[in-house]
Amino acid sequence: MTNVIEPAPPTLAATSDGRCFPVRRVFCVGRNYAAHAREMGRDPDREAPFFFTKWAEAVVPDGEEIAYPQATSNFHYEAELVLAIGTGGRNIAIGDALEHVWGYATGNDLTRRDLQLAARETGRPWDAGKNVEASAPLGLIHPASEVGHLSSGAIRLLVNDVVKQEADIADLIWSVPEIVSILSTFWRLEPGDLIFTGTPAGVGPIGPGDLVRVEIDGLTALTNTVGPAA
Ligand code: MN
């Protein structure tokens, strides 16, 4: 059988031990730090977590320039801890959840905030605000066998060396095992899935020429520059 068009190549993320992690899907958790929920005008009342998605091809590696996207005048950074799923499963018990996490990485959930908020206020989908080209910068994925499973540690984001976000992943409203367990009740998790676990307070805009850096204790930092408008 002959393909009528060339199939898209898989997205390959890099691991800290020099291998590739083929990315299957990107799931993201909304509002998972109380102070960020408040800055977005919502109550951090531990209501059930909600999820949105990005295409795997939105992933871009450390060091790569990100073109400033079209159709926005308020493009925001969001520092996040990212989980890399190594073993799939449905209805995963909280007590078993960490067995499904192959590793951890720094990530940046880049967002057209103007379009996201417009969608939110009108009850429309978030895709145009969130599932943006090159909107999922991802640092090296460290295997849990190397760094352990992360439940605390500083997370911070700097724009041009100025700290904009600083928190601790112990402050996640929904923990890593809870996120994996709850997400797996909506979709069967598959090897290669990434989960962006939510951002702390302090989100804000970036523009062409900015240098954006995400740091999480124990993981390799993630640094990207913002290029000219696409
Ligand atoms: Mn986010």
Side-chain angles (χ1 to χ4, degrees):
M1 209 72 112
T2 305
N3 293 325
V4 298
I5 56 171
E6 284 300 312
T11 296
L12 299 176
T15 68
S16 62
D17 55 8
R19 293 184 287 167
C20 288
F21 184 90
V23 179
R24 179 158 178 161
R25 299 173 297 189
V26 178
F27 294 97
C28 304
V29 184
R31 290 194 293 272
N32 204 16
Y33 289 84
H36 174 61
R38 283 191 287 269
E39 79 178 346
M40 296 300 288
R42 293 293 188 263
D43 291 327
D45 53 5
R46 202 174 154 91
E47 61 184 15
F50 68 94
F51 304 95
F52 57 91
T53 57
K54 300 189 180 205
W55 294 317
E57 66 199 53
V59 170
V60 295
D62 177 46
E64 188 161 297
E65 184 179 89
I66 298 153
Y68 193 90
Q70 298 181 359
T72 185
S73 55
N74 197 18
F75 190 46
H76 275 206
Y77 55 78
E78 293 191 358
E80 307 204 1
L81 173 68
V82 180
L83 318 180
I85 298 296
T87 307
R90 188 192 300 282
N91 298 326
I92 297 167
I94 290 175
D96 298 333
L98 293 180
E99 297 170 18
H100 295 260
V101 179
W102 185 86
Y104 296 87
T106 48
N108 197 343
D109 170 19
L110 296 173
T111 302
R112 288 177 178 128
R113 189 72 69 204
D114 40 4
L115 299 193
Q116 184 215 357
L117 293 180
R120 192 181 84 175
E121 297 316 318
T122 52
R124 291 176 178 168
W126 283 18
D127 300 61
K130 284 292 194 179
N131 190 6
V132 181
E133 292 163 8
S135 66
L138 183 75
L140 294 179
I141 304 173
H142 291 253
S145 60
E146 172 197 325
V147 296
H149 287 286
L150 302 190
S151 57
S152 65
I155 176 171
R156 68 183 71 80
L157 181 141
L158 304 89
V159 178
N160 304 325
D161 297 323
V162 177
V163 175
K164 299 290 189 179
Q165 294 183 282
E166 186 152 35
D168 196 292
I169 58 176
D171 297 333
L172 283 168
I173 295 173
W174 297 94
S175 68
V176 168
E178 288 170 332
I179 291 166
V180 169
S181 178
I182 296 168
L183 185 60
S184 74
T185 68
F186 292 102
W187 296 277
R188 185 184 192 282
L189 295 183
E190 300 291 351
D193 288 343
L194 299 177
I195 306 172
F196 282 61
T197 58
T199 198
V203 299
I206 46 177
D210 283 340
L211 180 72
V212 188
R213 181 177 175 87
V214 180
E215 300 175 350
I216 295 176
D217 285 354
L219 303 179
T220 305
L222 165 67
T223 306
N224 300 92
T225 53
V226 182

